[in-house]
Amino acid sequence: MDKYIGKRLDGRYEVQELVGVGGMAYVYKGVDLLEGRTVAIKILKEEYAENDDFVRRFKNESKAISVLSHKNIVKVYDFCFGNKTPAIIMEYIDGVTLKEYIEKKGALRWKEAVFFVEQILAAVKSAHQSGIVHRDLKPQNIMLLSDGTIKIMDFGIAKFARNEMKTLTDKVIGSVHYISPEQARGEMADEKSDVYSVGVILFEMLTGSLPFEADSPVSVAIKQISSKPLRPTQLNPDIPEGLEEIVLKAMQKNAEYRYQSAEDFLQDIAEFKQNPSIRFEYKYFEDEEPTQYIDAIKTLKKADGTKGTNQKTKKKPLPLIPILSGVALGSLVVAIVFSLGTLMFGWFGGQKSVVTLENFIGKTIDEVKEDERYKDLQFEIIDEVYDEEVEAGRICYQDPEEGRQVVADTTIQVKISKGGQELKIPSLTGMTENDIRRTFTAMGLTNFTFEYQASDTVSEGYVISVSPEEQTPVSIDTPVVVTISLGRDTSNASVPNVIGYTETEARRMIEQKNFKVGTVTRVDNKAPEGTVVSQSPVSGTAPEGTAINLEISTGKYDREMTVSISLPSSITRTVSFEALLDGVQVDSTNLQPSVARSRTVRLTGQGSGRLVIRLDGRVYQEFDIDFEANTASKVVDNSGSFNDDTSSSSGSGSSSSSQG
């Protein structure tokens, strides 16, 4: 049994279940008993808790992220550094990582990728303004909520950039597939390093692939330093050219050619959103690889076991990149070797053998130990747990997980299944509603509800009965109903109808009738913001003290409107007609002037937008759309330039943009 589960930190934070394991810490789901909210509890691993250096780093992480306050950054609520259990109390995020989302969907639609990257950049901009560089941005560190909200986490290796004095021999920090070239060389990471990492993330979202892949982290790092990525449109032709230019600018190897800040990055994204056909016309040196790194790369390739290049070192230095002295070059080689060697867990020099872990789930511990590939590894059984899907006596959990590379003597932690748990409804005598919730959750029950009724014999808040009865065998999804006492017998009262009232008025009316407000949910509805649009129960009578659940309008809803478009009088032949709202096609057809000289476009949405009308691929008219006011204001009108000759000779490849 995990020694932390069930423990209370500072008498306030109850640890419930392990949800993740990082390099330095365990992450648990827990509850703040004072606030009654679910939290994430990050506890420093035991082997580091006695190490002053690691404790210092852990406290530095706390200090760094505590200053951050942004809707797209995981919140930090509190810290616990006593009782030899250093812990950070954070916002609990119920979602998936952006990496998992990309792996499931492949290449994302460009509009979705832009929506996500805007949130990422907004969070990075806020952190940079606080003097913090993340240095480990990657989709694995970005959570995605069900409503599309992005939350960046793990500022664990961030430092205050203003105070950072990093040397060439420092370790490369961050996942090698996303680190900037300067990080791969062992140099100091700054705001522009985060910009590079966001560029790689945007590349992956748009293409479903990483820009650089290789057989080992060392080879990937070499490519980060010396290789050019494929153009994103080579992997996904649907990517607009302007967006591709943004990706490639963010991923420039020379930091001076990149966006100099997250704010600059965001400005280009905003311009692109305004006009998806925009072209920025960014130009770069075709030959901007730093030639002074060629010898260092050869050294790394020899260590990596890959074939060295036959290309001769160029004698002519590149502009803007000074040649390093022999001493500096030697330091650089040492820095790269030490940094990338760290990533390979001491692989250089034949110090320790490296093995890639397979999936052990479903195997016995003896079967794994008998495998010759794992003879130099240590295995530790850390717990025996119930598992519905894995047979008793077999591995149901492993850390590190499948696909990770480890060196000899690494300890692999596993949990052994006890098979499916035989659940029985426990004795609930003397328990309150909160006690029962915690008990059922710990058992794994997922379908329990509470009912309330008056009782002259059971005190208010305690259990009257449970169905099924105590000691009845159940499965994890068996419906369980617990009846809780409302105290002494009270007369029924009429349930007030609060639909159409404000939330404040509704609460007052409910409490005046001796009822209480239950759950309050915000829903999109045409009713004014803050107005009650639904309640449960709706009417009739109920015992005083019954909870009445409310749904409150956000005031937001999709509105419909139409825009009528007339063809220019000079057009007499059939033309292709296309309507795009904020870059997304909403109507497309071929119009025959002899049959109809106008087209009604139906629109649905919220707020405002830009409607672009194209005839034969050319911009014909543009309108500013206001769904709230139900208006369409014409801002571009090229009808005077359209006739049979010009429309037939124009194509959809025009790169010009119109300004309203």
Side-chain angles (χ1 to χ4, degrees):
M1 181 69 181
D2 189 311
K3 71 174 186 178
Y4 293 117
I5 292 179
K7 185 174 182 178
R8 291 187 180 181
L9 304 182
D10 286 356
R12 172 176 177 177
Y13 304 106
E14 184 174 283
V15 182
Q16 292 184 332
E17 63 176 299
L18 182 68
V19 294
V21 180
M24 292 171 55
Y26 298 105
V27 182
Y28 293 87
K29 181 180 179 181
V31 62
D32 180 346
L33 299 175
L34 184 61
E35 296 290 339
R37 64 185 173 192
T38 301
V39 295
I41 304 173
K42 194 170 188 178
I43 300 177
L44 191 63
K45 285 185 176 180
E46 197 172 50
E47 59 264 36
Y48 300 136
E50 301 296 331
N51 184 308
D52 293 339
D53 180 56
F54 279 101
V55 172
R56 176 184 57 79
R57 288 175 60 192
F58 199 68
K59 289 184 177 180
N60 284 346
E61 171 183 355
S62 310
K63 179 182 178 183
I65 58 181
S66 65
V67 304
L68 299 178
S69 178
H70 192 274
K71 64 181 181 179
N72 297 121
I73 297 177
V74 174
K75 295 183 180 69
V76 173
Y77 298 132
D78 199 0
F79 313 103
C80 303
F81 289 118
N83 300 323
K84 295 185 179 181
T85 310
I88 302 176
I89 313 302
M90 302 180 295
E91 176 184 9
Y92 179 76
I93 305 298
D94 185 10
V96 299
T97 67
L98 182 58
K99 186 69 172 181
E100 292 170 328
Y101 187 74
I102 295 171
E103 288 176 344
K104 180 179 179 180
K105 294 195 66 174
L108 308 186
R109 293 180 295 108
W110 67 259
K111 200 166 187 178
E112 186 176 31
V114 167
F115 177 63
F116 291 158
V117 82
E118 274 191 302
Q119 297 181 70
I120 295 169
L121 286 168
V124 172
K125 173 186 172 183
S126 176
H128 289 178
Q129 289 174 341
S130 298
I132 296 174
V133 179
H134 191 291
R135 301 197 302 165
D136 193 25
L137 286 168
K138 54 188 176 182
Q140 295 90 327
N141 283 343
I142 299 172
M143 296 298 296
L144 176 60
L145 279 62
S146 59
D147 63 357
T149 300
I150 287 291
K151 291 277 189 178
I152 298 182
M153 56 184 182
D154 280 0
F155 279 82
I157 51 178
K159 293 185 178 180
F160 286 87
R162 296 169 187 152
N163 301 325
E164 187 178 34
M165 296 297 291
K166 215 171 143 50
T167 66
L168 280 176
T169 55
D170 276 343
K171 292 190 297 183
V172 172
I173 296 182
S175 174
V176 72
H177 288 93
Y178 302 92
I179 59 173
S180 65
E182 56 268 24
Q183 287 174 282
R185 293 193 294 267
E187 298 172 359
M188 183 177 71
D190 60 11
E191 288 88 346
K192 292 186 285 294
S193 303
D194 281 352
V195 165
Y196 183 93
S197 298
V198 177
V200 177
I201 294 169
L202 182 54
F203 183 107
E204 186 176 8
M205 286 194 290
L206 291 170
T207 66
S209 303
L210 287 163
F212 302 116
E213 292 277 25
D215 294 335
S216 70
V218 172
S219 298
V220 174
I222 290 172
K223 289 185 176 183
Q224 295 282 26
I225 296 172
S226 62
S227 298
K228 290 182 180 179
L230 290 174
R231 299 185 73 87
T233 51
Q234 292 178 263
L235 300 172
N236 181 3
D238 294 333
I239 301 170
E241 185 173 342
L243 187 55
E244 178 180 67
E245 289 183 282
I246 290 174
V247 174
L248 294 177
K249 182 175 177 66
M251 288 181 59
Q252 285 297 299
K253 297 195 181 299
N254 186 335
E256 297 305 314
Y257 297 159
R258 279 178 225 151
Y259 294 109
Q260 299 300 291
S261 66
E263 173 65 26
D264 292 345
F265 201 154
L266 275 168
Q267 286 179 0
D268 269 10
I269 291 290
E271 285 191 48
F272 168 77
K273 284 182 62 182
Q274 188 72 19
N275 178 16
S277 63
I278 192 172
R279 294 182 182 177
F280 294 96
E281 302 296 341
Y282 290 127
K283 300 296 183 184
Y284 308 102
F285 292 108
E286 288 298 318
D287 184 14
E288 60 185 58
E289 285 85 354
T291 56
Q292 60 266 41
Y293 299 138
I294 288 177
D295 290 338
I297 292 168
K298 286 181 180 179
T299 301
L300 282 170
K301 285 186 174 180
K302 289 179 182 178
D304 188 34
T306 57
K307 187 175 181 180
T309 178
N310 292 322
Q311 179 181 355
K312 293 183 179 179
T313 304
K314 297 179 181 178
K315 300 299 184 181
K316 184 178 180 180
L318 287 174
L320 304 179
I321 306 178
I323 298 177
L324 297 178
S325 66
V327 173
L329 180 57
S331 299
L332 177 64
V333 174
V334 170
I336 297 174
V337 170
F338 273 107
S339 300
L340 297 180
T342 300
L343 286 173
M344 287 296 290
F345 309 100
W347 182 73
F348 284 117
Q351 295 175 5
K352 290 184 179 181
S353 60
V354 177
V355 62
T356 301
L357 299 180
E358 64 176 18
N359 185 4
F360 300 147
I361 307 302
K363 296 185 177 182
T364 67
I365 189 72
D366 290 336
E367 287 173 347
V368 176
K369 289 180 177 179
E370 290 170 1
D371 192 318
E372 185 66 19
R373 292 172 296 174
Y374 308 124
K375 61 182 178 63
D376 294 327
L377 302 181
Q378 306 297 320
F379 289 87
E380 177 188 3
I381 299 175
I382 60 173
D383 203 355
E384 293 186 7
V385 296
Y386 291 106
D387 192 302
E388 299 287 338
E389 298 180 357
V390 179
E391 181 183 341
R394 296 184 177 273
I395 297 171
C396 59
Y397 166 89
Q398 71 181 81
D399 180 33
E401 60 189 12
E402 175 187 9
R404 290 285 299 275
Q405 290 183 317
V406 297
V407 297
D409 297 331
T410 297
T411 297
I412 311 300
Q413 295 183 328
V414 299
K415 294 181 182 179
I416 304 299
S417 171
K418 295 196 292 187
Q421 185 174 10
E422 181 179 333
L423 299 176
K424 290 184 179 180
I425 299 296
S427 172
L428 304 181
T429 303
M431 285 191 180
T432 64
E433 181 176 334
N434 286 336
D435 293 334
I436 296 167
R437 288 184 186 276
R438 286 195 290 268
T439 299
F440 283 178
T441 300
M443 291 173 60
L445 295 179
T446 60
N447 189 11
F448 56 89
T449 56
F450 293 88
E451 293 182 350
Y452 307 89
Q453 70 179 47
S455 174
D456 294 330
T457 58
V458 179
S459 299
E460 180 180 358
Y462 287 87
V463 177
I464 296 176
S465 64
V466 58
S467 176
E469 296 180 349
E470 295 176 357
Q471 302 307 312
T472 301
V474 293
S475 63
I476 60 174
D477 57 356
T478 297
V480 179
V481 180
V482 181
T483 303
I484 301 293
S485 171
L486 292 173
R488 63 179 180 80
D489 189 17
T490 57
S491 59
N492 286 347
S494 297
V495 175
N497 185 343
V498 296
I499 295 175
Y501 291 87
T502 67
E503 182 178 353
T504 301
E505 293 170 337
R507 287 181 178 274
R508 185 179 66 251
M509 293 169 64
I510 290 170
E511 290 168 359
Q512 285 177 345
K513 292 288 187 177
N514 294 324
F515 293 97
K516 62 182 180 180
V517 177
T519 59
V520 177
T521 307
R522 310 288 168 177
V523 296
D524 288 348
N525 193 276
K526 292 183 179 181
E529 181 180 1
T531 303
V532 178
V533 294
S534 176
Q535 70 179 77
S536 176
V538 178
S539 59
T541 61
E544 294 178 357
T546 298
I548 299 178
N549 302 321
L550 304 177
E551 288 188 347
I552 309 295
S553 172
T554 63
K556 299 177 182 178
Y557 65 98
D558 284 342
R559 301 172 187 260
E560 296 182 355
M561 62 180 294
T562 60
V563 179
S564 181
I565 309 297
S566 298
L567 287 178
S569 58
S570 58
I571 297 295
T572 60
R573 60 176 188 81
T574 299
V575 294
S576 67
F577 176 95
E578 183 183 22
L580 300 98
L581 180 62
D582 292 335
V584 178
Q585 187 182 82
V586 294
D587 192 11
S588 176
T589 188
N590 289 324
L591 291 180
Q592 300 179 36
S594 60
V595 177
R597 301 203 62 85
S598 65
R599 177 74 171 179
T600 298
V601 180
R602 301 184 183 278
L603 305 175
T604 302
Q606 299 180 18
S608 60
R610 174 62 65 93
L611 176 66
V612 177
I613 306 299
R614 292 177 179 171
L615 297 182
D616 282 347
R618 287 185 59 210
V619 174
Y620 172 51
Q621 292 176 337
E622 292 186 17
F623 299 81
D624 279 340
I625 302 299
D626 189 336
F627 285 100
E628 304 294 326
N630 193 27
T631 60
S633 305
K634 188 184 297 182
V635 294
V636 173
D637 188 354
N638 295 326
S639 59
S641 63
F642 275 79
N643 54 54
D644 284 342
D645 291 334
T646 58
S647 63
S648 62
S649 62
S650 64
S652 60
S654 172
S655 63
S656 62
S657 60
S658 302
Q659 300 296 327

